[in-house]
């Protein structure tokens, strides 16, 4: 049975990837951060008690800021494939917590690479590693962006991802490790964190539709993103590690839309007029913005046989419908006298 280790298993992508790998009969190990509240909500449905003979998902406490935990977990889990998805992944927050973001995203990747290098040396095992790179690395570079586009990062997050990318290229060349950098454009889902713009919008649409919220405050509506579906993108990660040679790939839909177009489509799908509800709050603007991302995924299509199955309209519909259902459940609880915490985001 092949074994995979996922950092960031509790995040959006970690959850889809764990589900995907379990469906391919992997034994899956995930690194979980200690938190004062439960942070495993996205993977609880996959978890079986480790005493259960059928258990194939195992969780380990660890952190990308703690190298010794990474080393210990490698020896315990003995992975064939590692997916490094752990990150402080919010671009706006990276301006507020720049050093921490660099410590997790850039130096955290370096810690993992050092641990993998030593693990391979001491055990003689071969391990493949996927690094979660980002279209943010292209930043201000002219669209469309592909594998040959020069990086122009516009945030501490993006600069840290560029550093992590180059650490990976260097370790691939210096130590002949199988390391693939994915350069993934924005990908979303009903499991997307609620402070990223798509989910913030669809959560608001659901709550407004059910009468639980009136206004939605946003920042820059003109930014353009190439939005795909997270479920499709985790398959691309896996395909990169099944490829005969380690390489770097752009993963995108090849379509770009503005935040305003997402807002119009999401409110429209719920039969609402967005102009009645959306207001601009400068708090959500960024010191430097990434204006226009549009990916060219032709290399991934040709070499990996990967294609997105969900495009913009399907994604908006999927997220709005899930969030209307979630708001309906919340409304039921509220009407029954329970308190449901309202969340607003960055
Ligand atoms: P996410 O939902 O924010 O999940 C991030 C994961 O990283 C969570 O499991 C989080 O744990 C974990 N994490 C945070 N700090 C950590 C630390 N110090 N040590 C170990 N784990 C830590 O992000 P995502 O959307 O799934 O994205 C997955 C990866 O792909 C990230 O590296 C992200 O930067 C990158 N990426 C994402 C996109 C996208 O559009 N989604 C595009 C390109 C690249 P908690 O649950 O405890 O917070
Ligand atoms: N979050 C947020 N909140 N973004 C807003 C808002 C708001 O209220 N209003 C407008 N935006 C704009 C942002 O300025 C940005 O241009 C765009 O919406 C998308 O923002 P996010 O959804 O926060 O995503 P991101 O593109 O900055 O970063 C995401 O995608 C990257 C890949 O390109 C994250 O998932 C990163 O981790 C990932 O690397």
């Amino acid at each position: 049975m092949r074994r995979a280790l996922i950092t960031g298993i509790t995040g959006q992508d970690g959850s889809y990837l764990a589900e995907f790998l379990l469906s391919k009969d992997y034994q899956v190990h995930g690194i979980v951060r200690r938190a004062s509240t439960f942070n495993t909500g996205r993977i609880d449905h996959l978890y079986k008690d480790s005493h259960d003979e059928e258990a194939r998902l195992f969780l380990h406490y660890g952190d990308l800021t703690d190298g010794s935990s990474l080393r210990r977990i490698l020896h315990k889990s003995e992975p064939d494939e590692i997916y490094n998805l752990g990150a402080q992944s919010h671009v706006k927050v990276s301006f507020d917590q720049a050093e921490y973001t660099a410590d997790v995203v850039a130096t955290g990747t370096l810690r993992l690479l050092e641990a993998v290098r030593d693990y391979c040396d001491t055990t003689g095992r071969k391990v493949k590693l996927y690094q979660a790179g980002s279209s943010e690395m292209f930043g201000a570079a002219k669209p469309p962006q592909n594998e040959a586009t020069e990086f122009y990062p516009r945030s501490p997050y993006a600069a840290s991802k560029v550093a992590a990318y180059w650490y990976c290229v260097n370790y691939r060349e210096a130590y002949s490790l199988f390391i693939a950098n994915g350069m993934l454009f924005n990908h979303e889902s009903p499991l997307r964190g609620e402070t990223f713009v798509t989910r913030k919008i669809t959560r608001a649409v659901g709550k407004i539709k059910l009468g639980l919220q009136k206004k939605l405050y946003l920042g820059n509506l003109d930014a353009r993103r190439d939005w795909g579906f997270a479920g499709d993108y985790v398959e691309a990660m896996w395909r990169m590690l099944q490829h005969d040679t380690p390489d770097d790939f752009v993963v995108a839909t090849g379509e770009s839309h503005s935040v305003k177009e997402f807002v119009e489509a999401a409110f429209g799908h719920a039969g609402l007029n967005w102009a009645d509800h959306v207001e601009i709050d400068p708090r959500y603007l960024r010191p430097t913005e990434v204006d226009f991302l549009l990916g060219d995924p032709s290399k991934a299509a040709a070499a990996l046989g990967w294609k997105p199955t969900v495009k913009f309209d399907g994604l908006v519909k999927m997220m709005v419908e899930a969030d209307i259902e979630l708001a309906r459940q919340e409304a039921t609880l509220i009407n029954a006298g329970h308190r449901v915490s309202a969340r607003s985001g960055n």
Side-chain angles (χ1 to χ4, degrees):
M1 186 183 281
R2 280 182 293 178
R3 293 159 173 256
L5 172 64
I6 305 175
T7 75
I9 194 168
T10 56
Q12 170 190 255
D13 290 7
S15 139
Y16 279 102
L17 180 64
E19 193 162 25
F20 176 80
L21 293 174
L22 288 169
S23 78
K24 294 225 165 275
D25 287 332
Y26 278 71
Q27 184 179 97
V28 177
H29 294 257
I31 298 185
V32 179
R33 297 195 292 169
R34 195 271 158 182
S36 68
T37 50
F38 289 116
N39 57 2
T40 54
R42 291 188 177 104
I43 49 169
D44 283 344
H45 65 294
L46 303 173
Y47 190 76
K48 285 196 172 79
D49 188 276
S50 56
H51 301 99
D52 188 325
E53 272 179 18
E54 287 180 9
R56 280 192 292 116
L57 171 63
F58 301 91
L59 301 179
H60 309 265
Y61 280 116
D63 200 299
L64 284 161
T65 59
D66 177 8
S68 35
S69 68
L70 300 176
R71 285 168 186 273
R72 233 179 347 255
I73 293 166
L74 276 180
H75 282 276
K76 255 184 156 171
S77 59
E78 300 182 323
D80 302 296
E81 296 172 10
I82 300 174
Y83 295 85
N84 184 32
L85 311 184
Q88 188 305 91
S89 72
H90 202 286
V91 173
K92 173 84 189 325
V93 171
S94 79
F95 288 98
D96 303 325
Q97 291 193 273
E99 287 177 37
Y100 174 71
T101 301
D103 194 21
V104 177
V105 175
T107 311
T109 303
L110 182 61
R111 284 187 193 100
L112 182 62
L113 289 169
E114 278 287 271
V116 169
R117 171 191 164 200
D118 289 348
Y119 175 76
C120 292
D121 271 356
T122 53
T123 62
R125 288 175 61 93
K126 292 225 177 300
V127 179
K128 295 180 179 183
L129 188 141
Y130 169 80
Q131 165 59 17
S134 165
S135 51
E136 280 290 301
M137 301 190 300
F138 299 123
K142 206 168 139 259
Q145 294 96 0
N146 67 17
E147 292 79 3
T149 304
E150 271 190 38
F151 297 141
Y152 189 157
R154 297 270 285 172
S155 65
Y157 166 81
S160 302
K161 282 288 185 190
V162 171
Y165 170 93
W166 283 115
Y167 286 141
C168 286
V169 171
N170 180 239
Y171 275 59
R172 183 165 71 205
E173 293 171 355
Y175 307 114
S176 302
L177 294 170
F178 190 114
I179 301 174
N181 283 294
M183 293 176 268
L184 272 53
F185 284 62
N186 299 50
H187 44 280
E188 321 290 315
S189 74
L191 298 183
R192 183 60 143 152
E194 294 187 24
T195 62
F196 297 97
V197 79
T198 55
R199 187 78 199 289
K200 186 173 166 183
I201 294 165
T202 60
R203 270 301 259 153
V205 166
K207 287 184 181 176
I208 291 168
K209 184 79 181 164
L210 271 289
L212 303 176
Q213 183 174 327
K214 286 200 167 64
K215 293 285 178 198
L216 168 62
Y217 296 94
L218 292 173
N220 177 14
L221 300 188
D222 297 325
R224 300 185 72 84
R225 291 289 181 274
D226 180 329
W227 280 296
F229 170 52
D232 286 341
Y233 286 42
V234 299
E235 178 162 352
M237 298 173 188
W238 175 76
R239 286 186 184 225
M240 285 180 217
L241 295 196
Q242 313 316 308
H243 194 48
D244 37 7
T245 46
D247 204 347
D248 305 328
F249 295 93
V250 158
V251 178
T253 67
E255 249 184 53
S256 188
H257 295 269
S258 67
V259 173
K260 190 171 170 198
E261 284 166 18
F262 195 103
V263 167
E264 284 169 346
F267 278 82
H269 189 69
L272 298 166
N273 179 5
W274 71 274
D276 296 337
H277 303 283
V278 175
E279 292 193 8
I280 303 302
D281 183 341
R283 192 156 69 101
Y284 297 117
L285 300 175
R286 295 161 184 200
T288 39
E289 175 64 287
V290 168
D291 294 318
F292 196 158
L293 292 177
L294 168 64
D296 167 9
S298 35
K299 179 175 168 185
L304 305 176
W306 179 86
K307 274 200 175 61
T309 65
V310 180
K311 291 284 189 98
F312 182 74
D313 291 332
L315 180 67
V316 174
K317 183 168 180 281
M318 177 200 301
M319 293 179 70
V320 168
E321 287 178 1
D323 278 331
I324 289 178
E325 178 52 32
L326 185 57
R328 190 168 287 131
Q329 291 167 13
E330 286 170 349
T332 306
L333 285 174
I334 290 168
N335 292 336
H338 294 277
R339 285 187 60 193
V340 176
S341 65
R343 296 176 64 183
S344 65
N346 289 293

